[in-house]
Amino acid sequence: MSQFWKPGTERPQGRVVDDEEGGVLFLSGSHHSSSSSRYGYASIDKQRQRLPVFKYRTAILYLVETRATTIIVGETGSGKTTQIPQYLKEAGWAAGGRLIACTQPRRLAVQAVASRVAEEMGVKLGEEVGYTIRFEDVTKPDVTVLKFLTDGVLLREMMDDPLLTKYRNCELDVKVPGRAFEHELEKLRHVIMLDEAHERSISTDILLGLLKKIQRRRPELRLIISSATIEAKSMSDFFRMRKKRREPENEEHGLQVEPVILSVEGRGFNVQINYSEEPVQDYVQAAVSTVLLIHEREPAGDVLVFLTGQDDIDASVQLLNDEVQTTGKHSSGLIVLPLYSGLSRAEQELVFSQAPRGKRKVIISTNIAETSLTLEGIVYVVDSGFSKQRFYNPISDIENLVVAPISRASARQRAGRAGRVRPGKCYRLYTEEYFLNHMSNEGIPEIQRSSMVSCVIQLKALGIDNILGFDWPASPSTEAMIRALEILYSLRVLDDDAKLTSPTGFQVAEIPLDPMVSKMIIASSQLGCSEEIITIAAVLSVQSIWISGRGIQKESDEAKLRFAAAEGDHVTFLNVYKGFHQSGKSSQWCHKNYVNYHAMRKVLEVREQLKRIAKRIGLVLKSCESDMQVVRKAVTAGFFANACHLEEYSHNGMYKTLRGSQEVYIHPSSVLFRVNPKWVIYNSLVSTDRQYMRNVITIDPSCLLEAAPHFYQLQQSNHLLR
Ligand code: CDP
Ligand code: MG
């Protein structure tokens, strides 16, 4: 491989732990994790004891007992997520009806970790150990004591229970004096673990701000913040600011408010870094050839490839599988598996299971395997240098997921995944010069590159009025904030005083979807088409209901035509749903029509939940039968801000957004692709070589003025009537 690869100079796994510093305690471990034993037949207890975090069990429990906030830093795979909640339970933190909560930014990680912990504890998932992600609650009231959930779900739970008293699971009677009072206080002590804090997801950042606030009112609430990087330092500074406002009664409880950092990282094994000698043109192709080279020339050991999303992952899985079939001899020992959110339970299990003797597992993953999930047996890492990231431009009000370069911190994490079991190798599909001189050092927190619309509404619902003055771990931009207020005002979710309107604002806040989708649902209740709009909202909440892929494009496009509606994708979804229903929800029907059965089951589930929520907040459930005009009106009521019109002299289907005059095009997956109606509204944008609109519906421009007269001001209305 020497012609193509150039060994690098940096060792990825060596991490610097700062010295002891005012009020922050660093404990550093320097042992190897010896989890290679997972390949042996060690009992679960033995396996658990071999994890690096086990040596710190007593220290962790002591710190949680005595400190309000404990920050734990430890390399991926050291046992933070799976072990710490169990230690807490063993130490009695779940006694007396309390619940231990552990958040993750990613849904797939929530499921995988919960099922692993249930397995370790020898219990059925959904009983003592459960999980909650949006639209899926696998917990049992009064039985579940360890609950894994996404940070987004915890944030939602706070809307019903702002002080998170639920995590004690029992009613308090604080009027009782004396010992009984002590007993009641005891019940209040519970722990919330915010895991993967280094990811700086938007919900984690909001939670950090909120929990800091709550701790002031409820000092007995313990917080564990865990992180794979020393980024924890800034976390500690964030929580340390409390010192100035220290409340004396906290000290009375014998609780120290100063946060503490405990570092459990043990050095992984050496990882040899190889860089590409030349810049890589096509990272999918380069990743595939690199995997084949590794397989041909390197000794046994599994391969982990970092690509960006379902599209490029599926493409490379297919390329590798084709290779296995055509050339046979070199690649026969390869088992190629994709890893991204949206995989079924069975597919997930394959990723975690051990490859049969003599076979080499190749896992092609999104960023999720960077720190959220630990895969055993990885010896080789192939790093494309990219990931899908959310970017928001407050000027054009466009937020989209873009394939963008990762940071050096991420590249180091990725490389580190190769050194868990024994010395490994990492192949970076970029040059060393690029790594050293062009990659940014750290990623930007998601809150600084996202639309603030959902965030503002959630904080408002939590009664936090001064959003600009909120104590953020990283402040969002003022422009994004103002833009969000403007949009929420035009959706009539906020009033002139920037307070939630009643009932619309409160209803929108109750629905766990993007406020535009929620507004569309509320409007549909007034327009008499809520049954249809709830189906559309459910379809929009799954990734795609179509089966696509190389080689079946033609067939799947033809199948799509059977359902295509002139109004556009939203109405097409209604046709698919109807067909699915009439077939008796048959999987054969799905197969025949290139519809994803798994996605349709999910649509049914989400739809039921949305109906329940709609009823709870007083919406009227009604069908408009075949009147698609009202369906379009309801979509417009939510998505008027995404209106576009076809450029008059455009011959290539170029649209401009009404609001920001941005160039956009209809995505090839849309039934309106090449149809190019004059006026459309899109659901979301994806950006590749161009900005593409996904899920598009035709509209009547007069409905825009009706839906949001103040949003489309005078000069634009002239334009509209042109
Ligand atoms: O959170 P952290 O990265 O520190 O480690 P962890 O996720 O608690 O993983 C500890 C151990 O559990 C590792 O050896 C993993 O391989 C194993 N594990 C697993 O086998 N299956 C899972 N779904 C999750 C973890
Ligand atoms: Mg973890």
Side-chain angles (χ1 to χ4, degrees), residues 504-698:
T504 307
F506 286 96
Q507 286 171 328
V508 166
E510 281 279 320
I511 305 176
L513 292 169
D514 180 293
M516 286 182 170
V517 183
S518 309
K519 178 66 196 288
M520 169 177 87
I521 294 175
I522 290 161
S524 74
S525 156
Q526 290 144 11
L527 289 160
C529 57
S530 48
E531 290 280 355
E532 285 76 15
I533 289 292
I534 284 177
T535 304
I536 291 172
V539 173
L540 293 176
S541 80
V542 303
Q543 239 165 21
S544 170
I545 57 163
W546 306 111
I547 294 176
S548 58
R550 270 168 18 114
I552 56 161
Q553 204 54 54
K554 194 164 157 275
E555 290 86 342
S556 75
D557 282 350
E558 278 168 15
K560 207 181 276 181
L561 282 180
R562 277 175 235 153
F563 304 98
E567 291 88 351
D569 297 308
H570 301 63
V571 179
T572 306
F573 296 151
L574 290 177
N575 293 341
V576 175
Y577 181 77
K578 208 157 136 198
F580 179 60
H581 226 275
Q582 281 167 354
S583 76
K585 300 169 192 161
S586 132
S587 60
Q588 281 106 321
W589 180 90
C590 287
H591 186 72
K592 208 173 78 210
N593 290 296
Y594 291 83
V595 168
N596 184 334
Y597 176 67
H598 183 63
M600 288 310 287
R601 300 287 326 174
K602 190 82 208 160
V603 167
L604 290 177
E605 246 171 66
V606 174
R607 194 173 181 279
E608 281 317 302
Q609 301 220 24
L610 285 177
K611 276 171 78 166
R612 230 172 289 145
I613 296 168
K615 274 191 210 142
R616 196 180 70 215
I617 60 175
L619 301 185
V620 186
L621 289 173
K622 193 168 176 282
S623 164
C624 61
E625 308 299 337
S626 55
D627 182 4
M628 290 304 128
Q629 183 60 18
V630 286
V631 168
R632 291 200 300 170
K633 271 197 176 166
V635 176
T636 313
F639 285 90
F640 54 82
N642 293 355
C644 304
H645 71 103
L646 185 68
E647 277 298 278
E648 238 167 291
Y649 302 106
S650 151
H651 300 294
N652 62 349
M654 188 222 287
Y655 284 78
K656 286 249 171 100
T657 61
L658 278 199
R659 196 66 203 291
S661 283
Q662 295 283 310
E663 259 182 43
V664 290
Y665 296 82
I666 294 181
H667 194 272
S669 70
S670 168
V671 296
L672 295 181
F673 179 61
R674 298 217 178 92
V675 177
N676 295 336
K678 195 163 174 198
W679 294 94
V680 296
I681 277 183
Y682 64 84
N683 180 69
S684 59
L685 287 179
V686 281
S687 123
T688 47
D689 49 329
R690 289 168 168 179
Q691 301 268 25
Y692 284 107
M693 304 183 263
R694 274 195 70 199
N695 301 326
V696 185
I697 189 166
T698 60

Side-chain angles (χ1 to χ4, degrees), residues 38 75-82 112 116 352 374 376 420:
R38 290 276 319 273
E75 189 168 299
T76 303
S78 54
K80 302 180 298 296
T81 315
T82 55
R116 169 73 189 173
F352 289 104
T374 318
E376 290 296 312
R420 222 178 116 56

Side-chain angles (χ1 to χ4, degrees), residues 377-398:
I378 302 295
V379 181
Y380 309 99
V381 162
V382 179
D383 172 16
S384 66
F386 289 97
S387 70
K388 273 212 175 128
Q389 295 164 34
R390 201 204 296 244
F391 279 98
Y392 177 66
N393 175 349
I395 310 292
S396 59
D397 185 36
I398 288 180

